[in-house]
Amino acid sequence: MTTTAQLAELLAAASEAGRALPPPEETAVVHRRLVAEIRRRLPGAERAAAAAPVRSREWYRHHQAMDAARDALEVVGGEPDLRVGPTTAAIRLAELARRLRELSAYPVDGEARS
């Protein structure tokens, strides 16, 4: 289970990669953690969407977060490509971090909503 502090640390690490531009080998760990956390939080968004009135603003908001996260996972969510340059690796981390920030509002099973 990821705590709020661990989630903040993970998002900070992704943000720092955009400033420091470490080699992709160093960003690979953060990449994998972001992908895993997004996958853990998607079911919470799905449950929230299922509980919202269909076609309501809330329903659309949940679906937008889910669709954006799924798109990010499809495009950059696989195993990190170590052949890319540091800027590309940092851009991929930033995209995954954006999606995780959106999904952080959704609790994981057994986690209290903050």
Side-chain angles (χ1 to χ4, degrees):
M1 181 181 264
T2 305
T3 67
T4 303
Q6 290 168 329
L7 186 60
E9 177 185 305
L10 178 57
L11 292 171
S15 177
E16 180 58 30
R19 286 187 283 282
L21 297 177
E25 298 82 21
E26 292 179 28
T27 62
V29 173
V30 176
H31 181 107
R32 289 183 190 105
R33 287 181 59 205
L34 286 165
V35 167
E37 193 62 26
I38 289 170
R39 288 190 176 134
R40 273 179 13 98
R41 291 190 178 274
L42 263 172
E46 292 166 351
R47 285 190 299 276
V54 175
R55 307 260 186 246
S56 66
R57 286 181 182 178
E58 181 182 4
W59 184 86
Y60 279 110
R61 183 172 39 83
H62 299 313
H63 277 274
Q64 183 179 20
M66 291 183 319
D67 291 345
R70 287 182 184 131
D71 287 348
L73 288 176
E74 186 175 318
V75 173
V76 297
E79 191 61 23
D81 185 353
L82 301 179
R83 298 169 298 169
V84 301
T87 303
T88 301
I91 289 169
R92 291 176 179 177
L93 285 185
E95 176 61 17
L96 292 170
R98 267 192 296 281
R99 301 308 153 212
L100 181 54
R101 273 188 205 90
E102 290 174 355
L103 293 178
S104 67
Y106 301 101
V108 177
D109 285 336
E111 183 178 79
R113 190 170 201 166
S114 41

